[in-house]
Amino acid sequence: MVLFGRYELFDYLCTNLKQMRILTYNINRSSQEKIDKIMQFDADVYILPEVASPAQVKLSEGYRMEWMGNYDFKGLGVIWKSELKAIVPQWLNPNHQYMLPLMMEGVLIMAAWPTRSDSNAPKDYPQIAMEALQEYAPYLKEYSAIISGDMNCYKGQSGETKQFSIEAIFDFLGSMGYVSAYHQQTGEVLGKETTATYFHRFDEKSPFFLDYTFSNIPIKSYTLCNWEKEMSDHVAQVVEI
């Protein structure tokens, strides 16, 4: 893993944004069969919560992977076409499990799967997410960026507070110019979504909206895919920039 200082990035990365297609998918119980199926989509970047570590994943030629996690069988991974210039910035803080920033072709890609680990187990998901976003705020302000993943947050969930909630996250990111791609496209209000991105215990009668993509740059297209029950309890998102 090569780390770069904050200002070294400008010498390394392209000055013009490159068109990219990003697929974000919490794949639930990682397997090589699932990964092979997902890779057929031919995205430029894959953000994969709950994916196994690189040692357990066989990538096709021409792809690279970064990963963070406490258990080899489940963590947060990003897979991308190796033709894209990508680096892990020096300011990554591994204590924020799991938020994985990558500078890729002039864009900050922030993969998100805020979840509990040994160090933050007493905290609820909105607090885990907000604390990471607050630390990374200087970089989220500075760069063109996409934040995408399973945020593990929904309006009205147990443990949310005025300070730590998905509504507070929307307000915090909105103050920096970020919008939710789904809500911008549909015009729907947070907490009143007409579709779901997660079905608890694979139950169609227990839907939640947990997966989000935020951006401070124009998005060419955004798609919330159909639920594939044999693949995951989550729904995939596809973003083109």
Side-chain angles (χ1 to χ4, degrees):
M1 181 183 293
V2 180
L3 300 179
F4 285 72
R6 183 174 180 180
Y7 295 106
E8 295 175 69
L9 295 171
F10 291 102
D11 295 328
Y12 181 83
L13 296 169
C14 297
T15 56
N16 297 318
L17 302 183
K18 183 170 182 171
Q19 182 171 318
M20 286 186 282
R21 183 161 60 162
I22 303 167
L23 184 145
T24 300
Y25 200 5
N26 182 323
I27 61 174
N28 180 267
R29 297 184 181 274
S30 179
S31 71
Q32 188 63 47
E33 182 180 4
K34 286 186 180 183
I35 293 167
D36 290 342
K37 183 175 180 179
I38 291 167
M39 298 297 285
Q40 292 176 16
F41 187 76
D42 194 33
D44 300 296
V45 183
Y46 298 85
I47 296 173
L48 303 176
E50 298 201 30
V51 73
S53 70
Q56 298 188 30
V57 172
K58 183 179 180 181
L59 293 178
S60 301
E61 186 177 351
Y63 287 90
R64 293 180 58 193
M65 182 177 183
E66 285 291 345
W67 183 89
M68 67 190 319
N70 292 316
Y71 309 100
D72 284 345
F73 64 90
K74 184 168 72 172
L76 174 61
V78 180
I79 297 172
W80 70 93
K81 291 181 178 178
S82 54
E83 65 194 51
L84 298 173
K85 297 177 182 178
I87 58 172
V88 179
Q90 190 175 32
W91 40 263
L92 175 146
N93 184 346
N95 292 323
H96 288 299
Q97 300 274 355
Y98 296 75
M99 292 289 235
L100 178 55
L102 283 167
M103 293 302 305
M104 189 173 296
E105 297 287 352
V107 178
L108 169 57
I109 305 290
M110 181 72 73
W113 182 44
T115 192
R116 294 188 179 99
S117 62
D118 293 339
S119 62
N120 64 17
K123 299 178 182 179
D124 289 306
Y125 295 120
Q127 182 176 356
I128 296 169
M130 181 65 93
E131 288 179 351
L133 292 170
Q134 286 172 334
E135 169 151 336
Y136 289 133
Y139 311 103
L140 294 173
K141 291 177 182 177
E142 181 173 350
Y143 298 115
S144 300
I146 297 285
I147 306 166
S148 188
D150 170 10
M151 296 294 288
N152 271 323
C153 298
Y154 61 94
K155 192 170 181 179
Q157 73 187 112
S158 175
E160 70 175 11
T161 66
K162 185 175 181 180
Q163 183 180 9
F164 301 120
S165 67
I166 187 59
E167 195 166 16
I169 289 170
F170 264 62
D171 290 343
F172 178 70
L173 291 175
S175 70
M176 296 187 291
Y178 285 80
V179 297
S180 163
Y182 173 86
H183 296 85
Q184 183 184 51
Q185 177 173 281
T186 63
E188 294 178 2
V189 178
L190 176 65
K192 301 291 184 180
E193 295 85 4
T194 58
T195 187
T197 69
Y198 169 69
F199 298 89
H200 188 54
R201 297 179 179 174
F202 291 86
D203 185 354
E204 294 180 10
K205 297 180 180 179
S206 188
F208 294 87
F209 201 100
L210 300 181
D211 303 79
Y212 304 83
T213 294
F214 300 96
S215 175
N216 65 354
I217 56 177
I219 289 179
K220 183 178 178 181
S221 69
Y222 173 84
T223 303
L224 196 59
C225 300
N226 294 326
W227 183 33
E228 296 188 46
K229 194 171 184 177
E230 72 280 4
M231 282 286 291
S232 176
D233 47 0
H234 284 259
V235 170
Q237 306 174 75
V238 181
V239 179
E240 289 190 67
I241 60 171

